[in-house]
Every structure is written in structure tokens, then in C-alpha cells.
Amino acid sequence: MWGVGITAIELATMKPPNSDLSTVFDIILAIVNGPPPTLPPDKKAPALAAFIGAALVKDPAARPDAATLLKHPFLASADDGALGPIVKRGVPAIAPL
């Protein structure tokens, strides 16, 4: 579930957490010794921030599993058809082969 939280941050910010650090070693130290990544203040949608916080609990035994996260209010309130119109507008039609 950690990867889901990291991916959510990448999608919201268009860059991975800790991308401002200059070396892989610094990134690893930040992951191991620092707090879990969060959304920057300008990207803080409360429901998304809460979902990311739940997914990025550092202790795997305390982190919610997939079934629990699927019930999180952020996902439970999602419209499963919301991306369809966006994809249709943004992707040109592909001719059948």
C-alpha cells in the first residue's frame, strides 16, 4: 500500500517525493529516518491528503491493507466513470487494425 500512496503523491505533484534531494543516498536516508511524505500545501485536498496519510503509515503492521483502503472516504466517494470523458478528449481516436 506504500506504493499506492507514493503514486498518489506523484500523480498530484507530477514528481516523486524527495525529488528535491540530490543523491540516492539522501533519498534513502529521508525515507528511512524521516516522516512519511505528504502533499505540499498547495496540493492539499483534505480527502486525498487523508488517503495518502493512511497509505503511508511507516509501520507495515499498522498500515491499512488494500481492502481497508478501498473503503476509505476518498475512494468510496470516487465516480468510477469520471476519467472516461477526459481520456476521450485527450487521446485521439485509434483506427482499428
Side-chain angles (χ1 to χ4, degrees):
M1 300 297 42
W2 183 269
V4 171
I6 296 298
T7 300
I9 290 175
E10 290 178 358
L11 290 170
T13 63
M14 301 303 291
K15 61 184 179 180
N18 301 315
S19 62
D20 57 324
L21 300 176
S22 58
T23 69
V24 172
F25 183 72
D26 289 336
I27 293 170
I28 291 170
L29 284 177
I31 293 167
V32 172
N33 297 323
T38 59
L39 288 173
D42 66 325
K43 301 285 185 189
K44 274 227 167 141
L48 177 57
F51 174 77
I52 289 171
L56 295 182
V57 172
K58 281 188 116 173
D59 178 3
R63 189 181 311 138
D65 61 11
T68 302
L69 278 179
L70 281 171
K71 296 174 188 165
H72 189 279
F74 177 71
L75 293 182
S77 66
D79 176 4
D80 63 355
L83 288 178
I86 295 168
V87 171
K88 287 179 182 174
R89 281 194 316 267
V91 178
I94 298 173
L97 298 175

